[in-house]
Amino acid sequence: MLTGIMMLLAVAMQGQKLVGGDLSMLPRYEAANVNYYDMQGNRISEMLPFLRDEAGFNAVRVRLFVNPTGATGVVQDLDYVKTLGRRVKEAGMQLMLDFHYSDTWADPSNQWTPEAWKTLNDEQLAQQVYDYTCDCLQQLKAAGATPDYIQTGNEISYGMLWGPKGTSSPKKCYTNNDANWSRFRTLLGKAIEACRQECPAAKVIIHTERAGNWSTTKGIYERLASVDYDIIGLSYYPEWHNNLATLKTTLQNLKATFADKPVIIVETGYYNNWYPQNARYNFTSTWPASAEGQKKFLDDLVALIKDMDHVGGLLYWFPEENPCNNHVYEPWYNHGLFDPNTGKAVEALFSMKEYGVDTAIEGVESETDDAPDALFTLDGRRVDTSRQLPRGVYVKGHRKVIVR
């Protein structure tokens, strides 16, 4: 019975919107014995099941560096990702693998070639990308951590693998210039070729971060039209990408212009403390840099995208940040969804839950028809309804229900 239920739920949830976060630092916090608590002050013994059952997370994103430098947050080598990825899959959640193709942060200002690859010419580099991607995916599969979504690059708005860090002529791509675009498409093509070969069921994401600039976003994806990918991935941080009206314009234009490409917001977040002085936009009058402002931001974002049928997911960046009495990640980023002074979950952690609840279960034949009032967790475990239920997302009959 249980196996049948789990299979039916897996089929039913294929069309479900992704809700989750990039939890790449969680093992480091756990290794440091950092305590996490629910809103009532009860210690959370297992973070992934807690996020799944109470916050509605059904997906976890994990970054991967080639030979990580060990600097703040840059610690995720392949062995690290295999272990965390297996935990994600065992928790019944979907795994989004984020290839950085670098030894350090890859973002709009940093797309540096790994030290071990720095002497390769463009042809050799493309082959290395293919070989490396194949090897990583083969090892992840063998470890029980097969990714469901794969980002071939992180925030690659201006290309990737520009050359060794410090080079005087980085191979960047700009939408108003043809230089380096053919090289960029070749690198992406080899990465994606490896993904299709090793993980044919996985969806490939091309991730950029120009959500605040429609013209640039349009230009990037137009120039990548010949590349074989599935999903447009966006970063959206209001302090860099402007207000929700700007995001709405970008999302609506993406649907009109690239109708065959769903969109996932693979990174978002907001401050629970200390708004940065170098931010491009200051929205503290709309969303104060506080737990309350953080919740209002996420509530407003969910309200914007919940009825956009082409937007297939929302992932929060670094929700596990928990600086209370520890030095795991410095300096504080102030984006976490746990109170930095107490380690307790804040209300914003639960703001995305309803976004992931849809009617995907409805109409699916179920083996529970002989017990129509039975309640199950999302991973197929029957729930004892004679006791008070923890809040979370459950399945009853053919529909998902929320217990608050």
Side-chain angles (χ1 to χ4, degrees), residues 5-166:
I5 292 169
M6 291 184 70
M7 289 177 65
L8 287 168
L9 288 179
V11 171
M13 290 179 65
Q14 285 178 357
Q16 183 184 17
K17 295 192 175 187
L18 296 188
V19 171
D22 187 312
L23 297 172
S24 297
M25 284 299 292
L26 179 61
R28 281 300 175 100
Y29 280 103
E30 293 172 330
N33 296 314
V34 173
N35 289 331
Y36 292 88
Y37 302 92
D38 65 18
M39 292 183 67
Q40 289 71 45
N42 302 304
R43 187 172 181 273
I44 300 169
S45 59
E46 295 287 343
M47 180 64 79
L48 292 180
F50 172 82
L51 293 173
R52 179 195 64 206
D53 296 341
E54 297 211 28
F57 281 28
N58 57 36
V60 173
R61 180 179 183 246
V62 182
R63 57 183 172 266
L64 171 62
F65 301 100
V66 177
N67 292 301
T69 63
T72 297
V74 186
V75 295
Q76 294 79 17
D77 61 12
L78 184 55
D79 286 340
Y80 183 112
V81 174
K82 286 191 291 187
T83 301
L84 179 55
R86 181 171 59 249
R87 289 176 57 192
V88 171
K89 300 292 285 191
E90 288 175 348
M93 304 163 87
Q94 299 198 61
L95 174 63
M96 182 181 293
L97 177 64
D98 179 14
F99 279 106
H100 275 241
Y101 293 118
S102 182
D103 295 336
T104 188
W105 295 112
D107 58 39
S109 301
N110 301 280
Q111 293 286 340
W112 305 114
T113 302
E115 180 70 16
W117 304 356
K118 69 179 183 180
T119 62
L120 302 179
N121 62 35
D122 285 350
E123 182 178 355
Q124 293 168 331
L125 186 60
Q127 184 62 42
Q128 180 64 33
V129 167
Y130 171 81
D131 293 341
Y132 167 77
T133 305
C134 283
D135 179 59
C136 290
L137 295 178
Q138 289 166 2
Q139 291 196 47
L140 285 164
K141 289 189 297 182
T146 303
D148 302 283
Y149 297 84
I150 305 172
Q151 286 185 215
T152 50
N154 186 78
E155 294 189 336
I156 50 176
S157 305
Y158 300 107
M160 60 195 293
L161 296 159
W162 292 341
K165 189 171 185 178

Side-chain angles (χ1 to χ4, degrees), residues 247-302:
L247 175 64
K248 181 178 181 180
T249 296
T250 297
L251 292 174
Q252 289 176 331
N253 287 340
L254 282 171
K255 181 177 182 179
T257 309
F258 306 99
D260 62 329
K261 303 297 184 186
V263 178
I264 294 177
I265 298 175
V266 298
E267 288 188 29
T268 194
Y270 198 73
Y271 296 95
N272 57 37
N273 206 331
W274 188 77
Y275 203 88
Q277 293 182 349
N278 65 338
R280 184 175 300 162
Y281 305 99
N282 189 322
F283 287 105
T284 53
S285 61
T286 304
W287 307 301
S290 64
E292 294 76 18
Q294 193 178 51
K295 182 181 188 308
K296 186 175 188 307
F297 164 73
L298 271 179
D299 287 346
D300 290 348
L301 176 57
V302 168

Side-chain angles (χ1 to χ4, degrees), residues 257-392:
T257 309
F258 306 99
D260 62 329
K261 303 297 184 186
V263 178
I264 294 177
I265 298 175
V266 298
E267 288 188 29
T268 194
Y270 198 73
Y271 296 95
N272 57 37
N273 206 331
W274 188 77
Y275 203 88
Q277 293 182 349
N278 65 338
R280 184 175 300 162
Y281 305 99
N282 189 322
F283 287 105
T284 53
S285 61
T286 304
W287 307 301
S290 64
E292 294 76 18
Q294 193 178 51
K295 182 181 188 308
K296 186 175 188 307
F297 164 73
L298 271 179
D299 287 346
D300 290 348
L301 176 57
V302 168
L304 172 70
I305 65 173
K306 67 184 179 67
D307 294 324
M308 292 185 171
D309 57 4
H310 69 298
V311 180
L314 178 64
L315 278 73
Y316 195 95
W317 197 83
F318 201 13
E320 76 276 26
E321 183 185 22
N322 183 359
C324 180
N325 299 318
N326 71 76
H327 303 281
V328 174
Y329 191 106
E330 291 184 320
W332 292 10
Y333 187 57
N334 298 298
H335 260 219
L337 297 180
F338 290 84
D339 188 294
N341 297 307
T342 66
K344 291 182 181 180
V346 297
E347 289 189 15
L349 179 61
F350 310 98
S351 291
M352 297 185 290
K353 183 189 303 184
E354 287 190 47
Y355 177 68
V357 178
D358 57 24
T359 57
I361 297 285
E362 196 166 9
V364 176
E365 291 301 319
S366 168
E367 295 188 23
T368 66
D369 287 342
D370 58 336
D373 293 326
L375 206 64
F376 296 87
T377 61
L378 291 180
D379 62 346
R381 293 175 287 118
R382 189 161 181 167
V383 177
D384 181 0
T385 55
S386 67
R387 301 179 180 180
Q388 183 175 358
L389 295 175
R391 58 185 185 172

